[in-house]
C-alpha cells in the first residue's frame, strides 16, 4: 500500500458516508469527472451511480490501488495526469459533473480553471479546506470576501453543503474541510480574462479606494459613479456582477 504524499496534498477519504455526500446528485446518465481519485473510495461510489467516471490521478504509485478498487466496474477510465495541466477537452464523452476530494495544495487555482476553461461541467461538487470554502462563498463586506469569491461567484452559484471532520481522512489534516457545490450560471463570458485582470487589480490593495487600484482612475471614477458608487468606495463593497459591469464600462 502506498503512503500519502504531503507534497501532493494527499489526504485519502476513508468514510463511505462522506463519499456518498460528495456523490449526491449523480445519476445513471451522468458522465462524471473525479480529480484526485487516490485509493478509489469515492471512485467506486461514483461508478455505482454514473454512466461513466473519468478519474484523474497524478500519483503513479497509487494507480494499482485505484485500479483494484474499481476492478468490478467497466465504466471507469483512469487518467494518470496533473490536474492543473491536463487537457480536459480530450475527455470523450465530456463530463457534465465534477465530484471529487480535491488535493489541498491545488484546490483554489484548479476550481477556477475548471470554471473558466471546462464549460461542459454544469455541477461541481467537491471537498476542500473549510477556509477555501468560506472564501468561495463569502459575501461583500465580509473579511473573507476578495478577488477569489468574485471570480468564482461570477461563474457559479456557491453553496457550502457540509462541514467535514479531519477524522474522515488518512492522514487527518490539521484543519476542517467542507463539501461545496457550484452550479454554473451559464456560458463562460468571452471577456472572462479581462474581468479577471480588473478584479485582481481591484483587490490588490484592500485599504485603498477602488479607483486608486485601477490604471485609468478618471474612467474608473466615472464608471463607478454610473454604477451608483461614490469616490471612496472600496473593492469589497461591490457585488460580483457589478465588477462585470465595471469591466464592460472600462
Amino acid at each position: 500500500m502506498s503512503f500519502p504524499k504531503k507534497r501532493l496534498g494527499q489526504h485519502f477519504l476513508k468514510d463511505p458516508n462522506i463519499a456518498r455526500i460528495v456523490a449526491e446528485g449523480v445519476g445513471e446518465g451522468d458522465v462524471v469527472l473525479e480529480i484526485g481519485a487516490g485509493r478509489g473510495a469515492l471512485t467506486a461510489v461514483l461508478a455505482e451511480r454514473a454512466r461513466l467516471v473519468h478519474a484523474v490521478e497524478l500519483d503513479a504509485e497509487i494507480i494499482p490501488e485505484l485500479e483494484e478498487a474499481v476492478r468490478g466496474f467497466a465504466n471507469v477510465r483512469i487518467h494518470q495526469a496533473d490536474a492543473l495541466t491536463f487537457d480536459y477537452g480530450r475527455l470523450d464523452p465530456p463530463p457534465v459533473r465534477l465530484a471529487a476530494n480535491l488535493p489541498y495544495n491545488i484546490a483554489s487555482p484548479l476550481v477556477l480553471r475548471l470554471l473558466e476553461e471546462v464549460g461542459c461541467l454544469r455541477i461541481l461538487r467537491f471537498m476542500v479546506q473549510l477556509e477555501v470554502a468560506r472564501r468561495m462563498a463569502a459575501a461583500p463586506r465580509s473579511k473573507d470576501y476578495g478577488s477569489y469569491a468574485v471570480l468564482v461567484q461570477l461563474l457559479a452559484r456557491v453553496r457550502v453543503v457540509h462541514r467535514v471532520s479531519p477524522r474522515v481522512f488518512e492522514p487527518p489534516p490539521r484543519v476542517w474541510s467542507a463539501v461545496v457545490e457550484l452550479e454554473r450560471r451559464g456560458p463562460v463570458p468571452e471577456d472572462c480574462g479581462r474581468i479577471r485582470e480588473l478584479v485582481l487589480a481591484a483587490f490588490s490593495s484592500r485599504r485603498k479606494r477602488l479607483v486608486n487600484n485601477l490604471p485609468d482612475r478618471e474612467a474608473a471614477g466615472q464608471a463607478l459613479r454610473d454604477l451608483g458608487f461614490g469616490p471612496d468606495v472600496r473593492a469589497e463593497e461591490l457585488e460580483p456582477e457589478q465588477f462585470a459591469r465595471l469591466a464592460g464600462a472600462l
Side-chain angles (χ1 to χ4, degrees):
M1 177 179 292
S2 63
F3 294 98
K5 298 176 178 64
K6 185 176 182 180
R7 65 181 174 82
L8 297 180
Q10 290 177 333
H11 295 276
F12 297 131
L13 180 63
K14 62 180 183 179
D15 188 323
N17 293 321
I18 299 300
R20 285 191 284 270
I21 290 173
V22 177
E24 186 175 315
V26 173
E28 62 182 11
D30 289 332
V31 178
V32 180
L33 170 64
E34 182 189 10
I35 293 174
R39 293 173 177 162
L42 175 59
T43 318
V45 175
L46 294 171
E48 292 175 347
R49 304 179 180 210
R51 169 189 164 200
L52 180 70
V53 180
H54 291 292
V56 177
E57 173 56 51
L58 173 60
D59 187 1
E61 293 181 9
I62 207 170
I63 294 294
E65 293 177 54
L66 174 58
E67 291 173 337
E68 181 61 31
V70 297
R71 186 174 298 278
F73 298 99
N75 61 338
V76 177
R77 297 180 188 172
I78 297 173
H79 308 267
Q80 197 269 310
D82 184 338
L84 285 175
T85 59
F86 184 66
D87 178 10
Y88 295 97
R90 60 182 267 204
L91 296 178
D92 184 25
V96 297
R97 300 181 69 103
L98 170 78
N101 172 29
L102 295 179
Y104 278 6
N105 59 343
I106 65 167
S108 294
L110 178 59
V111 168
L112 201 52
R113 185 196 172 205
L114 293 173
L115 285 174
E116 291 181 347
E117 299 181 18
V118 191
C120 56
L121 290 173
R122 294 185 284 102
I123 301 291
L124 297 83
R125 192 175 174 103
F126 50 85
M127 275 194 294
V128 289
Q129 292 182 27
L130 182 58
E131 176 188 356
V132 175
R134 287 172 172 162
R135 285 174 53 215
M136 287 184 192
R141 301 178 182 84
S142 68
K143 67 180 182 65
D144 292 318
Y145 187 70
S147 59
Y148 192 61
V150 172
L151 294 172
V152 170
Q153 291 176 30
L154 277 171
L155 297 173
R157 299 175 183 86
V158 183
R159 187 164 65 98
V160 180
V161 177
H162 188 79
R163 283 169 55 102
V164 181
S165 166
R167 295 191 300 272
V168 309
F169 300 100
E170 180 189 349
R174 297 179 180 179
V175 296
W176 279 66
S177 301
V179 178
V180 179
E181 182 172 285
L182 306 183
E183 180 184 358
R184 186 178 293 280
R185 293 185 181 276
V188 179
E190 292 184 3
D191 57 350
C192 186
R194 188 161 54 84
I195 295 173
R196 177 199 268 253
E197 290 180 4
L198 180 140
V199 171
L200 293 176
F203 283 93
S204 59
S205 181
R206 295 179 66 97
R207 294 184 179 182
K208 288 185 179 180
R209 297 185 303 163
L210 176 53
V211 291
N212 291 336
N213 288 333
L214 301 178
D216 190 337
R217 296 183 185 181
E218 183 176 348
Q222 182 59 55
L224 286 167
R225 286 192 293 273
D226 292 343
L227 289 173
F229 291 103
D232 295 329
V233 68
R234 287 175 168 77
E236 61 263 28
E237 298 178 57
L238 272 67
E239 301 276 348
E241 60 270 18
Q242 290 173 322
F243 278 101
R245 291 167 61 189
L246 180 61
L250 295 175

